[in-house]
Amino acid sequence: MKEDIQFMNKGENYNKPRTGSKITVDPIRRMKDIQSISKLLSDHPRNHLLFVMGTNNGLRTGDLLKLKVGDVKGMKIGDTLAIKEGKTGKRNILVMNKSIYKSLQTYLEAMKPMDDDFLFASRKGNRSITVQCVNNMVKKWTRMINLKGNYGAHSLRKTWGYVQRTTYGVGFEILCKRFNHSSPAITMRYLGIEDKEVQNILMNEVG
């Protein structure tokens, strides 16, 4: 979605797609915006863990929501947890990095959940929150920091890929494997490669 907020009607949301536009969600592209949302959620351990885990692993939200506390409680930094993707049926892994570990420990200390509880438990009975709930949450978070664009649950996964590519220089072939995409071209479209980024590399001189 193009950031053409200047043409929106008064009162129209920054993070709501324009009428007639293709409904796809954006990654959170700027590190300062990621940090702003993380700070915003610092007093909400469950939501902070969801945001951190979603933007640090590249897994689908639906797969994260299936996790139980006991699945991750004993994990240390560098440990991996094998999962089966709900959408593809393929195997994948969750990796415990420093950011996730720190957020997880804060969550466990604050909430004191039982091992059999869902990690991202709903307040309505013994079940997890839904993907639609996460959609609404992400839209709320991005709106609260006045972030232009269209955002939802899938933005967390896309953010991981976008940051890996632009900040750490990870190639599309590796990201394709992580996302379980069938080709790097799909990964490029998935991460929302913008025309200006292609134009920028054409300014690189060869010889």
Side-chain angles (χ1 to χ4, degrees):
M1 176 180 171
K2 294 182 179 180
E3 295 186 355
D4 51 0
I5 192 73
Q6 63 267 32
F7 298 115
M8 290 185 175
N9 296 324
K10 184 178 181 181
E12 195 167 2
N13 288 338
Y14 280 179
N15 52 6
K16 180 179 179 181
R18 292 168 65 96
T19 302
S21 65
K22 185 178 180 180
I23 302 176
T24 57
V25 298
D26 300 317
I28 302 171
R29 292 182 169 88
R30 299 184 301 183
M31 192 64 72
K32 70 176 185 177
D33 293 325
I34 297 172
Q35 293 168 346
S36 292
I37 294 176
S38 181
K39 183 177 180 180
L40 180 73
L41 300 176
S42 59
D43 291 331
H44 304 275
R46 183 200 68 180
N47 294 349
H48 186 267
L49 178 60
L50 175 62
F51 181 74
V52 171
M53 189 173 282
T55 55
N56 275 267
N57 252 292
L59 295 173
R60 290 182 179 85
T61 298
D63 293 324
L64 295 179
L65 297 183
K66 295 176 183 176
L67 294 172
K68 296 262 181 109
V69 172
D71 294 330
V72 297
K73 185 176 180 179
M75 292 180 69
K76 303 298 182 184
I77 296 171
D79 286 351
T80 62
L81 175 70
I83 66 166
K84 182 178 180 180
E85 294 184 344
K87 181 176 181 180
T88 66
K90 297 178 181 178
R91 289 178 59 83
N92 213 324
I93 58 172
L94 181 149
V95 180
M96 183 65 64
N97 69 9
K98 291 181 180 179
S99 294
I100 298 173
Y101 182 80
K102 182 178 178 180
S103 184
L104 175 62
Q105 297 312 306
T106 299
Y107 166 85
L108 293 175
E109 291 171 11
M111 307 304 292
K112 295 180 172 53
M114 303 295 291
D115 285 2
D116 199 44
D117 291 342
F118 281 101
L119 190 61
F120 304 109
S122 168
R123 295 183 179 87
K124 301 177 181 178
N126 184 26
R127 60 184 181 182
S128 71
I129 55 177
T130 64
V131 173
Q132 184 56 52
C133 177
V134 179
N135 258 318
N136 295 336
M137 290 161 64
V138 174
K139 289 182 184 299
K140 177 182 178 182
W141 302 337
T142 52
R143 186 170 60 246
M144 289 176 73
I145 66 167
N146 296 317
L147 189 59
K148 300 177 184 179
N150 182 38
Y151 301 93
H154 226 48
S155 294
L156 305 182
R157 187 177 193 235
K158 286 189 174 185
T159 296
W160 175 84
Y162 188 88
V163 170
Q164 292 300 319
R165 180 178 68 85
T166 59
T167 301
Y168 298 105
V170 178
F172 285 108
E173 292 81 4
I174 295 176
L175 294 176
C176 173
K177 181 176 177 61
R178 175 57 174 162
F179 284 138
N180 271 331
H181 288 163
S182 58
S183 75
I186 292 175
T187 304
M188 290 178 67
R189 291 196 298 271
Y190 178 77
L191 293 180
I193 303 306
E194 299 174 329
D195 290 343
K196 65 181 180 182
E197 295 180 62
V198 177
Q199 293 169 11
N200 286 340
I201 68 169
L202 295 177
M203 292 301 294
N204 296 335
E205 297 182 37
V206 179

mmCIF file of all heavy atoms in Angstrom, residues 125-170:
data_model
loop_
_atom_site.group_PDB
_atom_site.id
_atom_site.type_symbol
_atom_site.label_atom_id
_atom_site.label_comp_id
_atom_site.label_asym_id
_atom_site.label_seq_id
_atom_site.Cartn_x
_atom_site.Cartn_y
_atom_site.Cartn_z
ATOM 1 N N GLY A 125 -12.163 -18.088 28.702
ATOM 2 C CA GLY A 125 -12.069 -19.534 28.779
ATOM 3 C C GLY A 125 -10.677 -20.058 28.469
ATOM 4 O O GLY A 125 -9.737 -19.311 28.230
ATOM 5 N N ASN A 126 -10.555 -21.387 28.432
ATOM 6 C CA ASN A 126 -9.266 -22.049 28.237
ATOM 7 C C ASN A 126 -8.959 -22.170 26.745
ATOM 8 O O ASN A 126 -9.070 -23.247 26.142
ATOM 9 C CB ASN A 126 -9.283 -23.433 28.894
ATOM 10 C CG ASN A 126 -7.921 -24.104 28.795
ATOM 11 O OD1 ASN A 126 -6.888 -23.448 28.704
ATOM 12 N ND2 ASN A 126 -7.931 -25.429 28.804
ATOM 13 N N ARG A 127 -8.562 -21.074 26.160
ATOM 14 C CA ARG A 127 -8.204 -21.067 24.744
ATOM 15 C C ARG A 127 -7.269 -19.890 24.480
ATOM 16 O O ARG A 127 -7.093 -19.014 25.324
ATOM 17 C CB ARG A 127 -9.455 -20.935 23.866
ATOM 18 C CG ARG A 127 -10.252 -19.658 24.127
ATOM 19 C CD ARG A 127 -11.520 -19.627 23.298
ATOM 20 N NE ARG A 127 -12.265 -18.389 23.525
ATOM 21 C CZ ARG A 127 -13.439 -18.113 22.951
ATOM 22 N NH1 ARG A 127 -13.991 -18.985 22.138
ATOM 23 N NH2 ARG A 127 -14.051 -16.971 23.198
ATOM 24 N N SER A 128 -6.681 -19.909 23.309
ATOM 25 C CA SER A 128 -5.784 -18.813 22.951
ATOM 26 C C SER A 128 -6.590 -17.687 22.321
ATOM 27 O O SER A 128 -7.756 -17.872 21.925
ATOM 28 C CB SER A 128 -4.730 -19.303 21.961
ATOM 29 O OG SER A 128 -5.322 -19.554 20.693
ATOM 30 N N ILE A 129 -5.969 -16.527 22.210
ATOM 31 C CA ILE A 129 -6.590 -15.461 21.437
ATOM 32 C C ILE A 129 -6.601 -15.898 19.974
ATOM 33 O O ILE A 129 -5.924 -16.844 19.585
ATOM 34 C CB ILE A 129 -5.828 -14.127 21.600
ATOM 35 C CG1 ILE A 129 -4.348 -14.293 21.237
ATOM 36 C CG2 ILE A 129 -5.965 -13.605 23.019
ATOM 37 C CD1 ILE A 129 -3.547 -13.011 21.310
ATOM 38 N N THR A 130 -7.360 -15.230 19.140
ATOM 39 C CA THR A 130 -7.504 -15.609 17.738
ATOM 40 C C THR A 130 -6.620 -14.736 16.850
ATOM 41 O O THR A 130 -6.160 -13.668 17.257
ATOM 42 C CB THR A 130 -8.958 -15.458 17.280
ATOM 43 O OG1 THR A 130 -9.325 -14.064 17.347
ATOM 44 C CG2 THR A 130 -9.897 -16.272 18.180
ATOM 45 N N VAL A 131 -6.416 -15.185 15.625
ATOM 46 C CA VAL A 131 -5.657 -14.400 14.655
ATOM 47 C C VAL A 131 -6.361 -13.069 14.406
ATOM 48 O O VAL A 131 -5.718 -12.027 14.275
ATOM 49 C CB VAL A 131 -5.475 -15.179 13.338
ATOM 50 C CG1 VAL A 131 -4.834 -14.292 12.268
ATOM 51 C CG2 VAL A 131 -4.619 -16.421 13.566
ATOM 52 N N GLN A 132 -7.687 -13.097 14.359
ATOM 53 C CA GLN A 132 -8.433 -11.854 14.155
ATOM 54 C C GLN A 132 -8.207 -10.891 15.311
ATOM 55 O O GLN A 132 -8.091 -9.670 15.114
ATOM 56 C CB GLN A 132 -9.930 -12.142 14.007
ATOM 57 C CG GLN A 132 -10.772 -10.903 13.693
ATOM 58 C CD GLN A 132 -10.299 -10.175 12.459
ATOM 59 O OE1 GLN A 132 -10.137 -10.771 11.400
ATOM 60 N NE2 GLN A 132 -10.069 -8.871 12.579
ATOM 61 N N CYS A 133 -8.121 -11.419 16.505
ATOM 62 C CA CYS A 133 -7.821 -10.588 17.670
ATOM 63 C C CYS A 133 -6.443 -9.942 17.516
ATOM 64 O O CYS A 133 -6.274 -8.748 17.786
ATOM 65 C CB CYS A 133 -7.877 -11.435 18.934
ATOM 66 S SG CYS A 133 -7.437 -10.543 20.446
ATOM 67 N N VAL A 134 -5.464 -10.724 17.068
ATOM 68 C CA VAL A 134 -4.112 -10.186 16.856
ATOM 69 C C VAL A 134 -4.133 -9.133 15.757
ATOM 70 O O VAL A 134 -3.458 -8.106 15.848
ATOM 71 C CB VAL A 134 -3.118 -11.312 16.531
ATOM 72 C CG1 VAL A 134 -1.723 -10.738 16.278
ATOM 73 C CG2 VAL A 134 -3.071 -12.333 17.660
ATOM 74 N N ASN A 135 -4.922 -9.377 14.708
ATOM 75 C CA ASN A 135 -5.087 -8.370 13.649
ATOM 76 C C ASN A 135 -5.490 -7.031 14.249
ATOM 77 O O ASN A 135 -4.895 -5.993 13.945
ATOM 78 C CB ASN A 135 -6.182 -8.821 12.671
ATOM 79 C CG ASN A 135 -5.626 -9.394 11.387
ATOM 80 O OD1 ASN A 135 -4.674 -8.870 10.813
ATOM 81 N ND2 ASN A 135 -6.224 -10.467 10.935
ATOM 82 N N ASN A 136 -6.502 -7.068 15.073
ATOM 83 C CA ASN A 136 -7.014 -5.842 15.685
ATOM 84 C C ASN A 136 -5.986 -5.204 16.616
ATOM 85 O O ASN A 136 -5.863 -3.973 16.682
ATOM 86 C CB ASN A 136 -8.306 -6.137 16.458
ATOM 87 C CG ASN A 136 -9.444 -6.570 15.555
ATOM 88 O OD1 ASN A 136 -9.454 -6.244 14.365
ATOM 89 N ND2 ASN A 136 -10.400 -7.299 16.101
ATOM 90 N N MET A 137 -5.250 -6.035 17.328
ATOM 91 C CA MET A 137 -4.237 -5.536 18.245
ATOM 92 C C MET A 137 -3.121 -4.810 17.498
ATOM 93 O O MET A 137 -2.700 -3.715 17.877
ATOM 94 C CB MET A 137 -3.660 -6.692 19.074
ATOM 95 C CG MET A 137 -4.635 -7.262 20.101
ATOM 96 S SD MET A 137 -4.180 -8.927 20.682
ATOM 97 C CE MET A 137 -2.626 -8.611 21.494
ATOM 98 N N VAL A 138 -2.643 -5.427 16.407
ATOM 99 C CA VAL A 138 -1.551 -4.819 15.639
ATOM 100 C C VAL A 138 -2.002 -3.504 15.010
ATOM 101 O O VAL A 138 -1.266 -2.520 14.982
ATOM 102 C CB VAL A 138 -1.029 -5.791 14.561
ATOM 103 C CG1 VAL A 138 0.009 -5.109 13.667
ATOM 104 C CG2 VAL A 138 -0.424 -7.039 15.217
ATOM 105 N N LYS A 139 -3.241 -3.474 14.516
ATOM 106 C CA LYS A 139 -3.772 -2.223 13.966
ATOM 107 C C LYS A 139 -3.826 -1.135 15.041
ATOM 108 O O LYS A 139 -3.503 0.027 14.786
ATOM 109 C CB LYS A 139 -5.161 -2.471 13.372
ATOM 110 C CG LYS A 139 -5.154 -3.286 12.087
ATOM 111 C CD LYS A 139 -6.556 -3.456 11.537
ATOM 112 C CE LYS A 139 -6.550 -4.354 10.305
ATOM 113 N NZ LYS A 139 -5.731 -3.797 9.207
ATOM 114 N N LYS A 140 -4.216 -1.534 16.232
ATOM 115 C CA LYS A 140 -4.285 -0.580 17.341
ATOM 116 C C LYS A 140 -2.895 -0.064 17.696
ATOM 117 O O LYS A 140 -2.696 1.143 17.868
ATOM 118 C CB LYS A 140 -4.936 -1.243 18.553
ATOM 119 C CG LYS A 140 -4.995 -0.344 19.784
ATOM 120 C CD LYS A 140 -5.605 -1.087 20.978
ATOM 121 C CE LYS A 140 -5.610 -0.216 22.219
ATOM 122 N NZ LYS A 140 -6.160 -0.952 23.398
ATOM 123 N N TRP A 141 -1.924 -0.971 17.793
ATOM 124 C CA TRP A 141 -0.563 -0.563 18.162
ATOM 125 C C TRP A 141 0.023 0.403 17.142
ATOM 126 O O TRP A 141 0.617 1.413 17.514
ATOM 127 C CB TRP A 141 0.347 -1.780 18.294
ATOM 128 C CG TRP A 141 -0.110 -2.800 19.285
ATOM 129 C CD1 TRP A 141 -0.948 -2.605 20.355
ATOM 130 C CD2 TRP A 141 0.226 -4.187 19.314
ATOM 131 N NE1 TRP A 141 -1.155 -3.776 21.035
ATOM 132 C CE2 TRP A 141 -0.446 -4.772 20.428
ATOM 133 C CE3 TRP A 141 1.034 -5.000 18.511
ATOM 134 C CZ2 TRP A 141 -0.325 -6.129 20.738
ATOM 135 C CZ3 TRP A 141 1.148 -6.350 18.818
ATOM 136 C CH2 TRP A 141 0.480 -6.901 19.929
ATOM 137 N N THR A 142 -0.123 0.080 15.861
ATOM 138 C CA THR A 142 0.449 0.944 14.822
ATOM 139 C C THR A 142 -0.285 2.279 14.761
ATOM 140 O O THR A 142 0.328 3.318 14.507
ATOM 141 C CB THR A 142 0.410 0.253 13.455
ATOM 142 O OG1 THR A 142 -0.919 -0.230 13.177
ATOM 143 C CG2 THR A 142 1.388 -0.921 13.414
ATOM 144 N N ARG A 143 -1.575 2.250 15.032
ATOM 145 C CA ARG A 143 -2.341 3.508 15.051
ATOM 146 C C ARG A 143 -1.892 4.395 16.212
ATOM 147 O O ARG A 143 -1.796 5.618 16.070
ATOM 148 C CB ARG A 143 -3.835 3.202 15.164
ATOM 149 C CG ARG A 143 -4.732 4.430 15.059
ATOM 150 C CD ARG A 143 -6.195 4.043 14.920
ATOM 151 N NE ARG A 143 -6.671 3.274 16.058
ATOM 152 C CZ ARG A 143 -7.056 2.007 16.002
ATOM 153 N NH1 ARG A 143 -6.991 1.336 14.865
ATOM 154 N NH2 ARG A 143 -7.503 1.383 17.073
ATOM 155 N N MET A 144 -1.571 3.769 17.337
ATOM 156 C CA MET A 144 -1.175 4.535 18.521
ATOM 157 C C MET A 144 0.157 5.267 18.332
ATOM 158 O O MET A 144 0.413 6.271 18.990
ATOM 159 C CB MET A 144 -1.105 3.609 19.741
ATOM 160 C CG MET A 144 -2.472 3.142 20.227
ATOM 161 S SD MET A 144 -2.384 1.964 21.597
ATOM 162 C CE MET A 144 -1.896 3.056 22.945
ATOM 163 N N ILE A 145 1.010 4.761 17.429
ATOM 164 C CA ILE A 145 2.266 5.473 17.155
ATOM 165 C C ILE A 145 2.171 6.237 15.825
ATOM 166 O O ILE A 145 3.190 6.669 15.287
ATOM 167 C CB ILE A 145 3.481 4.522 17.154
ATOM 168 C CG1 ILE A 145 3.404 3.522 15.997
ATOM 169 C CG2 ILE A 145 3.616 3.802 18.486
ATOM 170 C CD1 ILE A 145 4.714 2.775 15.762
ATOM 171 N N ASN A 146 0.936 6.377 15.306
ATOM 172 C CA ASN A 146 0.686 7.144 14.084
ATOM 173 C C ASN A 146 1.474 6.619 12.882
ATOM 174 O O ASN A 146 2.013 7.396 12.083
ATOM 175 C CB ASN A 146 1.015 8.628 14.304
ATOM 176 C CG ASN A 146 0.122 9.266 15.343
ATOM 177 O OD1 ASN A 146 -1.084 9.042 15.347
ATOM 178 N ND2 ASN A 146 0.714 10.043 16.240
ATOM 179 N N LEU A 147 1.526 5.308 12.750
ATOM 180 C CA LEU A 147 2.264 4.687 11.657
ATOM 181 C C LEU A 147 1.361 4.533 10.437
ATOM 182 O O LEU A 147 0.308 3.903 10.510
ATOM 183 C CB LEU A 147 2.788 3.318 12.101
ATOM 184 C CG LEU A 147 3.756 2.611 11.160
ATOM 185 C CD1 LEU A 147 5.001 3.473 10.912
ATOM 186 C CD2 LEU A 147 4.155 1.263 11.739
ATOM 187 N N LYS A 148 1.771 5.114 9.332
ATOM 188 C CA LYS A 148 0.991 5.035 8.097
ATOM 189 C C LYS A 148 1.123 3.650 7.485
ATOM 190 O O LYS A 148 2.167 3.018 7.556
ATOM 191 C CB LYS A 148 1.487 6.077 7.098
ATOM 192 C CG LYS A 148 1.393 7.515 7.573
ATOM 193 C CD LYS A 148 1.990 8.432 6.524
ATOM 194 C CE LYS A 148 2.007 9.881 6.985
ATOM 195 N NZ LYS A 148 2.614 10.780 5.978
ATOM 196 N N GLY A 149 0.062 3.203 6.831
ATOM 197 C CA GLY A 149 0.100 1.915 6.152
ATOM 198 C C GLY A 149 -1.028 1.012 6.596
ATOM 199 O O GLY A 149 -1.895 1.396 7.379
ATOM 200 N N ASN A 150 -1.026 -0.208 6.081
ATOM 201 C CA ASN A 150 -2.034 -1.198 6.446
ATOM 202 C C ASN A 150 -1.340 -2.329 7.190
ATOM 203 O O ASN A 150 -0.440 -2.969 6.651
ATOM 204 C CB ASN A 150 -2.733 -1.742 5.193
ATOM 205 C CG ASN A 150 -3.817 -2.738 5.552
ATOM 206 O OD1 ASN A 150 -4.529 -2.565 6.537
ATOM 207 N ND2 ASN A 150 -3.956 -3.780 4.761
ATOM 208 N N TYR A 151 -1.752 -2.564 8.436
ATOM 209 C CA TYR A 151 -1.063 -3.523 9.281
ATOM 210 C C TYR A 151 -2.035 -4.532 9.878
ATOM 211 O O TYR A 151 -3.224 -4.258 10.040
ATOM 212 C CB TYR A 151 -0.300 -2.801 10.404
ATOM 213 C CG TYR A 151 0.721 -1.834 9.866
ATOM 214 C CD1 TYR A 151 0.400 -0.491 9.679
ATOM 215 C CD2 TYR A 151 1.978 -2.272 9.482
ATOM 216 C CE1 TYR A 151 1.322 0.392 9.144
ATOM 217 C CE2 TYR A 151 2.903 -1.406 8.945
ATOM 218 C CZ TYR A 151 2.573 -0.072 8.774
ATOM 219 O OH TYR A 151 3.484 0.788 8.223
ATOM 220 N N GLY A 152 -1.510 -5.700 10.191
ATOM 221 C CA GLY A 152 -2.315 -6.754 10.786
ATOM 222 C C GLY A 152 -1.409 -7.825 11.357
ATOM 223 O O GLY A 152 -0.186 -7.643 11.457
ATOM 224 N N ALA A 153 -1.979 -8.961 11.710
ATOM 225 C CA ALA A 153 -1.214 -10.037 12.338
ATOM 226 C C ALA A 153 -0.022 -10.462 11.476
ATOM 227 O O ALA A 153 1.068 -10.733 11.984
ATOM 228 C CB ALA A 153 -2.121 -11.236 12.604
ATOM 229 N N HIS A 154 -0.212 -10.504 10.162
ATOM 230 C CA HIS A 154 0.846 -10.953 9.263
ATOM 231 C C HIS A 154 2.008 -9.968 9.200
ATOM 232 O O HIS A 154 3.103 -10.313 8.741
ATOM 233 C CB HIS A 154 0.256 -11.180 7.869
ATOM 234 C CG HIS A 154 0.679 -12.469 7.247
ATOM 235 N ND1 HIS A 154 0.647 -13.680 7.902
ATOM 236 C CD2 HIS A 154 1.191 -12.736 6.010
ATOM 237 C CE1 HIS A 154 1.085 -14.632 7.100
ATOM 238 N NE2 HIS A 154 1.439 -14.086 5.947
ATOM 239 N N SER A 155 1.780 -8.733 9.657
ATOM 240 C CA SER A 155 2.850 -7.733 9.648
ATOM 241 C C SER A 155 4.023 -8.157 10.533
ATOM 242 O O SER A 155 5.171 -7.789 10.261
ATOM 243 C CB SER A 155 2.325 -6.374 10.129
ATOM 244 O OG SER A 155 1.389 -5.843 9.221
ATOM 245 N N LEU A 156 3.743 -8.916 11.588
ATOM 246 C CA LEU A 156 4.809 -9.332 12.492
ATOM 247 C C LEU A 156 5.807 -10.218 11.753
ATOM 248 O O LEU A 156 7.022 -10.024 11.828
ATOM 249 C CB LEU A 156 4.227 -10.071 13.700
ATOM 250 C CG LEU A 156 3.157 -9.319 14.503
ATOM 251 C CD1 LEU A 156 2.719 -10.158 15.707
ATOM 252 C CD2 LEU A 156 3.672 -7.963 14.959
ATOM 253 N N ARG A 157 5.298 -11.183 11.021
ATOM 254 C CA ARG A 157 6.145 -12.105 10.252
ATOM 255 C C ARG A 157 6.893 -11.363 9.138
ATOM 256 O O ARG A 157 8.082 -11.589 8.909
ATOM 257 C CB ARG A 157 5.271 -13.210 9.672
ATOM 258 C CG ARG A 157 6.015 -14.330 8.982
ATOM 259 C CD ARG A 157 5.024 -15.387 8.518
ATOM 260 N NE ARG A 157 5.718 -16.606 8.141
ATOM 261 C CZ ARG A 157 5.595 -17.200 6.961
ATOM 262 N NH1 ARG A 157 4.817 -16.669 6.034
ATOM 263 N NH2 ARG A 157 6.230 -18.321 6.696
ATOM 264 N N LYS A 158 6.178 -10.477 8.468
ATOM 265 C CA LYS A 158 6.804 -9.711 7.395
ATOM 266 C C LYS A 158 7.893 -8.785 7.930
ATOM 267 O O LYS A 158 8.912 -8.560 7.272
ATOM 268 C CB LYS A 158 5.754 -8.899 6.646
ATOM 269 C CG LYS A 158 4.858 -9.722 5.727
ATOM 270 C CD LYS A 158 4.010 -8.818 4.866
ATOM 271 C CE LYS A 158 3.211 -9.615 3.846
ATOM 272 N NZ LYS A 158 2.460 -8.731 2.920
ATOM 273 N N THR A 159 7.665 -8.250 9.120
ATOM 274 C CA THR A 159 8.657 -7.364 9.731
ATOM 275 C C THR A 159 9.966 -8.100 9.962
ATOM 276 O O THR A 159 11.054 -7.570 9.692
ATOM 277 C CB THR A 159 8.128 -6.798 11.063
ATOM 278 O OG1 THR A 159 6.977 -5.988 10.787
ATOM 279 C CG2 THR A 159 9.172 -5.965 11.777
ATOM 280 N N TRP A 160 9.878 -9.332 10.445
ATOM 281 C CA TRP A 160 11.089 -10.130 10.650
ATOM 282 C C TRP A 160 11.857 -10.253 9.340
ATOM 283 O O TRP A 160 13.076 -10.008 9.296
ATOM 284 C CB TRP A 160 10.724 -11.521 11.184
ATOM 285 C CG TRP A 160 11.927 -12.404 11.298
ATOM 286 C CD1 TRP A 160 12.800 -12.453 12.339
ATOM 287 C CD2 TRP A 160 12.419 -13.335 10.330
ATOM 288 N NE1 TRP A 160 13.806 -13.364 12.078
ATOM 289 C CE2 TRP A 160 13.584 -13.910 10.850
ATOM 290 C CE3 TRP A 160 11.962 -13.732 9.065
ATOM 291 C CZ2 TRP A 160 14.326 -14.868 10.149
ATOM 292 C CZ3 TRP A 160 12.694 -14.678 8.367
ATOM 293 C CH2 TRP A 160 13.855 -15.239 8.907
ATOM 294 N N GLY A 161 11.175 -10.625 8.277
ATOM 295 C CA GLY A 161 11.844 -10.809 6.994
ATOM 296 C C GLY A 161 12.428 -9.523 6.452
ATOM 297 O O GLY A 161 13.543 -9.499 5.916
ATOM 298 N N TYR A 162 11.678 -8.435 6.602
ATOM 299 C CA TYR A 162 12.132 -7.150 6.080
ATOM 300 C C TYR A 162 13.400 -6.688 6.803
ATOM 301 O O TYR A 162 14.361 -6.233 6.177
ATOM 302 C CB TYR A 162 11.020 -6.111 6.236
ATOM 303 C CG TYR A 162 11.330 -4.793 5.555
ATOM 304 C CD1 TYR A 162 10.994 -4.592 4.223
ATOM 305 C CD2 TYR A 162 11.968 -3.758 6.238
ATOM 306 C CE1 TYR A 162 11.288 -3.392 3.582
ATOM 307 C CE2 TYR A 162 12.269 -2.564 5.605
ATOM 308 C CZ TYR A 162 11.914 -2.386 4.280
ATOM 309 O OH TYR A 162 12.220 -1.207 3.660
ATOM 310 N N VAL A 163 13.406 -6.817 8.122
ATOM 311 C CA VAL A 163 14.575 -6.398 8.906
ATOM 312 C C VAL A 163 15.779 -7.293 8.604
ATOM 313 O O VAL A 163 16.914 -6.816 8.484
ATOM 314 C CB VAL A 163 14.249 -6.407 10.413
ATOM 315 C CG1 VAL A 163 15.519 -6.210 11.243
ATOM 316 C CG2 VAL A 163 13.242 -5.324 10.743
ATOM 317 N N GLN A 164 15.544 -8.601 8.459
ATOM 318 C CA GLN A 164 16.642 -9.503 8.126
ATOM 319 C C GLN A 164 17.289 -9.110 6.803
ATOM 320 O O GLN A 164 18.517 -9.136 6.648
ATOM 321 C CB GLN A 164 16.138 -10.952 8.048
ATOM 322 C CG GLN A 164 15.692 -11.553 9.366
ATOM 323 C CD GLN A 164 16.787 -11.594 10.400
ATOM 324 O OE1 GLN A 164 17.937 -11.898 10.094
ATOM 325 N NE2 GLN A 164 16.447 -11.286 11.641
ATOM 326 N N ARG A 165 16.463 -8.712 5.847
ATOM 327 C CA ARG A 165 16.977 -8.359 4.523
ATOM 328 C C ARG A 165 17.678 -7.014 4.525
ATOM 329 O O ARG A 165 18.789 -6.875 4.002
ATOM 330 C CB ARG A 165 15.820 -8.324 3.510
ATOM 331 C CG ARG A 165 16.265 -7.971 2.096
ATOM 332 C CD ARG A 165 15.082 -8.006 1.155
ATOM 333 N NE ARG A 165 14.149 -6.931 1.446
ATOM 334 C CZ ARG A 165 14.255 -5.693 0.976
ATOM 335 N NH1 ARG A 165 15.285 -5.358 0.230
ATOM 336 N NH2 ARG A 165 13.346 -4.781 1.256
ATOM 337 N N THR A 166 17.036 -5.996 5.113
ATOM 338 C CA THR A 166 17.561 -4.633 4.996
ATOM 339 C C THR A 166 18.618 -4.286 6.041
ATOM 340 O O THR A 166 19.518 -3.493 5.771
ATOM 341 C CB THR A 166 16.416 -3.609 5.096
ATOM 342 O OG1 THR A 166 15.742 -3.763 6.351
ATOM 343 C CG2 THR A 166 15.418 -3.805 3.961
ATOM 344 N N THR A 167 18.514 -4.862 7.219
ATOM 345 C CA THR A 167 19.467 -4.540 8.288
ATOM 346 C C THR A 167 20.639 -5.515 8.330
ATOM 347 O O THR A 167 21.788 -5.118 8.527
ATOM 348 C CB THR A 167 18.757 -4.523 9.656
ATOM 349 O OG1 THR A 167 17.706 -3.547 9.625
ATOM 350 C CG2 THR A 167 19.732 -4.173 10.772
ATOM 351 N N TYR A 168 20.342 -6.798 8.132
ATOM 352 C CA TYR A 168 21.377 -7.816 8.273
ATOM 353 C C TYR A 168 21.856 -8.390 6.942
ATOM 354 O O TYR A 168 22.767 -9.219 6.913
ATOM 355 C CB TYR A 168 20.872 -8.947 9.175
ATOM 356 C CG TYR A 168 20.564 -8.474 10.581
ATOM 357 C CD1 TYR A 168 19.254 -8.307 11.008
ATOM 358 C CD2 TYR A 168 21.582 -8.175 11.476
ATOM 359 C CE1 TYR A 168 18.965 -7.853 12.288
ATOM 360 C CE2 TYR A 168 21.310 -7.734 12.763
ATOM 361 C CZ TYR A 168 19.998 -7.574 13.155
ATOM 362 O OH TYR A 168 19.729 -7.122 14.429
ATOM 363 N N GLY A 169 21.252 -7.961 5.846
ATOM 364 C CA GLY A 169 21.708 -8.378 4.527
ATOM 365 C C GLY A 169 21.444 -9.828 4.181
ATOM 366 O O GLY A 169 22.115 -10.412 3.318
ATOM 367 N N VAL A 170 20.462 -10.439 4.817
ATOM 368 C CA VAL A 170 20.128 -11.835 4.539
ATOM 369 C C VAL A 170 19.506 -11.935 3.139
ATOM 370 O O VAL A 170 18.641 -11.148 2.776
ATOM 371 C CB VAL A 170 19.150 -12.390 5.595
ATOM 372 C CG1 VAL A 170 18.758 -13.826 5.269
ATOM 373 C CG2 VAL A 170 19.786 -12.308 6.986
#
